[in-house]
Amino acid sequence: MKKLALITVAMMASASIAVAQNADSSAYKAAHDKATSDYKAAKDRCSDTLSGNAKDVCQEEAKVARARAESDAVAQHKNNKRDLEKAHKKVAEAEYDLAKEKCDDLSGDAKSACVSQAKSVRDTSLASIKSGSYSTTAAATDTVREKTAAAADTMRDKTAGAGEVMSDSMITAKVKADMAADSQVKAMDVHVETQKGVVMLSGFVPSKAEADRAVQLARGVKGVNEVKSSIQIKK
């Protein structure tokens, strides 16, 4: 009788595990599909509203957003070392491609230094991933993003200090990067365009607080002369 009871408990436990695994698998697929859908929509917006390097930067930002969303999905619903390492590598490579694209607005030694710094950040990230000295939590992933953004900002500030004037596409890219790193603003909600140092914001956001924060972030970017907002609140 006791043996039968133990077998029954074991079967119930196995069934519970199977149900949990299926739920995680479904949740992961849903998150992955949403990341893909958001990427396609963002990429189309880049093509419809921008041109030249500004469009290229915008599309690379969309790729970074997709890689980050996929990484978050892995951390939340898979959370095993192999898949996490692969997801982190994708984020590092996507951010490297974005950084290189931003460097295209520069020339000569400034561009070379920009690319070199981007490669250094990428190599450091990959080394950390390979050594396993990174955390699997979403909070730790955010910390890595902040450090990467800080390194990129330092590089751009040094370049600007050397006498380089930020172009409109660089300003646009920096505003979008700041929005992507900010907890109050969803970068995909706000469209950013810059003309002669004047940043124009548009799109639909769920609250006035987010709209105000987007304007505040844009005003804080070096090289911005004025911010014009036509952001609307979703009803």
Tab-separated table of all heavy atoms in Angstrom, residues 174-197:
chain	number	residue	atom	x	y	z
A	174	LYS	N	21.487	58.988	-30.036
A	174	LYS	CA	21.730	59.144	-28.600
A	174	LYS	C	20.404	59.291	-27.835
A	174	LYS	O	20.232	58.721	-26.757
A	174	LYS	CB	22.611	60.371	-28.349
A	174	LYS	CG	22.942	60.616	-26.868
A	174	LYS	CD	23.755	59.484	-26.281
A	174	LYS	CE	24.313	59.820	-24.903
A	174	LYS	NZ	23.280	59.944	-23.855
A	175	VAL	N	19.474	60.059	-28.394
A	175	VAL	CA	18.169	60.225	-27.749
A	175	VAL	C	17.476	58.867	-27.643
A	175	VAL	O	16.937	58.503	-26.598
A	175	VAL	CB	17.282	61.217	-28.533
A	175	VAL	CG1	15.857	61.218	-27.971
A	175	VAL	CG2	17.864	62.629	-28.465
A	176	LYS	N	17.513	58.102	-28.719
A	176	LYS	CA	16.865	56.782	-28.713
A	176	LYS	C	17.544	55.840	-27.723
A	176	LYS	O	16.873	55.063	-27.038
A	176	LYS	CB	16.907	56.173	-30.119
A	176	LYS	CG	15.966	56.846	-31.109
A	176	LYS	CD	16.029	56.162	-32.459
A	176	LYS	CE	15.043	56.765	-33.439
A	176	LYS	NZ	15.105	56.092	-34.756
A	177	ALA	N	18.860	55.910	-27.666
A	177	ALA	CA	19.600	55.059	-26.734
A	177	ALA	C	19.243	55.391	-25.295
A	177	ALA	O	19.057	54.499	-24.455
A	177	ALA	CB	21.103	55.209	-26.963
A	178	ASP	N	19.128	56.693	-24.997
A	178	ASP	CA	18.765	57.114	-23.636
A	178	ASP	C	17.353	56.660	-23.278
A	178	ASP	O	17.082	56.263	-22.139
A	178	ASP	CB	18.867	58.639	-23.506
A	178	ASP	CG	20.319	59.105	-23.437
A	178	ASP	OD1	21.217	58.248	-23.396
A	178	ASP	OD2	20.549	60.332	-23.452
A	179	MET	N	16.458	56.706	-24.260
A	179	MET	CA	15.091	56.240	-24.017
A	179	MET	C	15.056	54.738	-23.784
A	179	MET	O	14.332	54.242	-22.923
A	179	MET	CB	14.193	56.609	-25.205
A	179	MET	CG	13.893	58.087	-25.321
A	179	MET	SD	12.775	58.453	-26.697
A	179	MET	CE	12.695	60.246	-26.577
A	180	ALA	N	15.858	54.006	-24.555
A	180	ALA	CA	15.894	52.554	-24.412
A	180	ALA	C	16.426	52.141	-23.045
A	180	ALA	O	16.034	51.111	-22.493
A	180	ALA	CB	16.751	51.943	-25.516
A	181	ALA	N	17.319	52.965	-22.487
A	181	ALA	CA	17.926	52.648	-21.195
A	181	ALA	C	17.101	53.157	-20.014
A	181	ALA	O	17.364	52.813	-18.874
A	181	ALA	CB	19.336	53.243	-21.117
A	182	ASP	N	16.061	53.965	-20.307
A	182	ASP	CA	15.271	54.569	-19.243
A	182	ASP	C	14.073	53.689	-18.893
A	182	ASP	O	13.414	53.139	-19.778
A	182	ASP	CB	14.775	55.952	-19.682
A	182	ASP	CG	14.163	56.730	-18.540
A	182	ASP	OD1	14.912	57.364	-17.789
A	182	ASP	OD2	12.925	56.689	-18.394
A	183	SER	N	13.802	53.567	-17.609
A	183	SER	CA	12.720	52.690	-17.154
A	183	SER	C	11.333	53.291	-17.376
A	183	SER	O	10.336	52.582	-17.374
A	183	SER	CB	12.901	52.369	-15.662
A	183	SER	OG	12.872	53.565	-14.890
A	184	GLN	N	11.256	54.611	-17.577
A	184	GLN	CA	9.955	55.268	-17.712
A	184	GLN	C	9.466	55.369	-19.144
A	184	GLN	O	8.291	55.597	-19.397
A	184	GLN	CB	10.017	56.679	-17.121
A	184	GLN	CG	10.203	56.726	-15.609
A	184	GLN	CD	10.210	58.153	-15.107
A	184	GLN	OE1	11.216	58.647	-14.614
A	184	GLN	NE2	9.107	58.852	-15.240
A	185	VAL	N	10.380	55.209	-20.098
A	185	VAL	CA	10.025	55.418	-21.497
A	185	VAL	C	10.202	54.131	-22.290
A	185	VAL	O	11.222	53.459	-22.179
A	185	VAL	CB	10.895	56.523	-22.135
A	185	VAL	CG1	10.526	56.717	-23.601
A	185	VAL	CG2	10.741	57.826	-21.375
A	186	LYS	N	9.194	53.793	-23.088
A	186	LYS	CA	9.311	52.674	-24.017
A	186	LYS	C	9.774	53.233	-25.355
A	186	LYS	O	9.043	53.958	-26.024
A	186	LYS	CB	7.968	51.964	-24.177
A	186	LYS	CG	7.494	51.252	-22.917
A	186	LYS	CD	6.176	50.545	-23.161
A	186	LYS	CE	5.709	49.825	-21.903
A	186	LYS	NZ	4.404	49.156	-22.102
A	187	ALA	N	11.016	52.914	-25.725
A	187	ALA	CA	11.626	53.508	-26.916
A	187	ALA	C	10.792	53.275	-28.168
A	187	ALA	O	10.763	54.107	-29.079
A	187	ALA	CB	13.041	52.954	-27.104
A	188	MET	N	10.111	52.123	-28.224
A	188	MET	CA	9.319	51.810	-29.409
A	188	MET	C	8.098	52.724	-29.551
A	188	MET	O	7.516	52.847	-30.620
A	188	MET	CB	8.856	50.345	-29.348
A	188	MET	CG	9.983	49.335	-29.451
A	188	MET	SD	10.829	49.430	-31.031
A	188	MET	CE	12.015	48.084	-30.835
A	189	ASP	N	7.679	53.378	-28.455
A	189	ASP	CA	6.495	54.242	-28.489
A	189	ASP	C	6.785	55.602	-29.125
A	189	ASP	O	5.875	56.257	-29.625
A	189	ASP	CB	5.973	54.489	-27.064
A	189	ASP	CG	5.331	53.257	-26.455
A	189	ASP	OD1	5.036	52.320	-27.214
A	189	ASP	OD2	5.129	53.233	-25.227
A	190	VAL	N	8.030	56.028	-29.056
A	190	VAL	CA	8.376	57.398	-29.453
A	190	VAL	C	9.251	57.416	-30.703
A	190	VAL	O	10.290	56.759	-30.752
A	190	VAL	CB	9.111	58.128	-28.306
A	190	VAL	CG1	9.399	59.570	-28.696
A	190	VAL	CG2	8.293	58.078	-27.025
A	191	HIS	N	8.819	58.171	-31.693
A	191	HIS	CA	9.625	58.361	-32.900
A	191	HIS	C	10.476	59.624	-32.732
A	191	HIS	O	9.985	60.660	-32.280
A	191	HIS	CB	8.731	58.508	-34.133
A	191	HIS	CG	9.482	58.872	-35.365
A	191	HIS	ND1	10.391	58.029	-35.968
A	191	HIS	CD2	9.505	60.019	-36.091
A	191	HIS	CE1	10.917	58.625	-37.021
A	191	HIS	NE2	10.406	59.836	-37.114
A	192	VAL	N	11.743	59.516	-33.084
A	192	VAL	CA	12.674	60.628	-32.914
A	192	VAL	C	13.269	61.032	-34.258
A	192	VAL	O	13.730	60.179	-35.021
A	192	VAL	CB	13.823	60.240	-31.955
A	192	VAL	CG1	14.748	61.446	-31.725
A	192	VAL	CG2	13.289	59.724	-30.630
A	193	GLU	N	13.263	62.315	-34.527
A	193	GLU	CA	13.885	62.840	-35.746
A	193	GLU	C	14.594	64.138	-35.400
A	193	GLU	O	14.107	64.927	-34.577
A	193	GLU	CB	12.826	63.074	-36.827
A	193	GLU	CG	13.405	63.476	-38.173
A	193	GLU	CD	12.341	63.590	-39.259
A	193	GLU	OE1	11.178	63.243	-38.983
A	193	GLU	OE2	12.679	64.040	-40.365
A	194	THR	N	15.744	64.380	-36.005
A	194	THR	CA	16.517	65.585	-35.700
A	194	THR	C	16.877	66.329	-36.982
A	194	THR	O	17.340	65.713	-37.953
A	194	THR	CB	17.817	65.230	-34.952
A	194	THR	OG1	17.507	64.425	-33.815
A	194	THR	CG2	18.528	66.500	-34.488
A	195	GLN	N	16.671	67.637	-36.965
A	195	GLN	CA	17.039	68.486	-38.099
A	195	GLN	C	17.739	69.733	-37.568
A	195	GLN	O	17.136	70.527	-36.837
A	195	GLN	CB	15.808	68.877	-38.915
A	195	GLN	CG	15.152	67.714	-39.642
A	195	GLN	CD	13.959	68.149	-40.483
A	195	GLN	OE1	13.635	69.343	-40.580
A	195	GLN	NE2	13.295	67.193	-41.093
A	196	LYS	N	19.011	69.853	-37.909
A	196	LYS	CA	19.815	71.001	-37.498
A	196	LYS	C	19.781	71.224	-35.984
A	196	LYS	O	19.640	72.352	-35.510
A	196	LYS	CB	19.348	72.261	-38.233
A	196	LYS	CG	19.554	72.179	-39.740
A	196	LYS	CD	19.127	73.461	-40.437
A	196	LYS	CE	19.361	73.368	-41.938
A	196	LYS	NZ	18.944	74.607	-42.648
A	197	GLY	N	19.878	70.130	-35.251
A	197	GLY	CA	19.925	70.213	-33.799
A	197	GLY	C	18.577	70.318	-33.121
A	197	GLY	O	18.491	70.355	-31.894
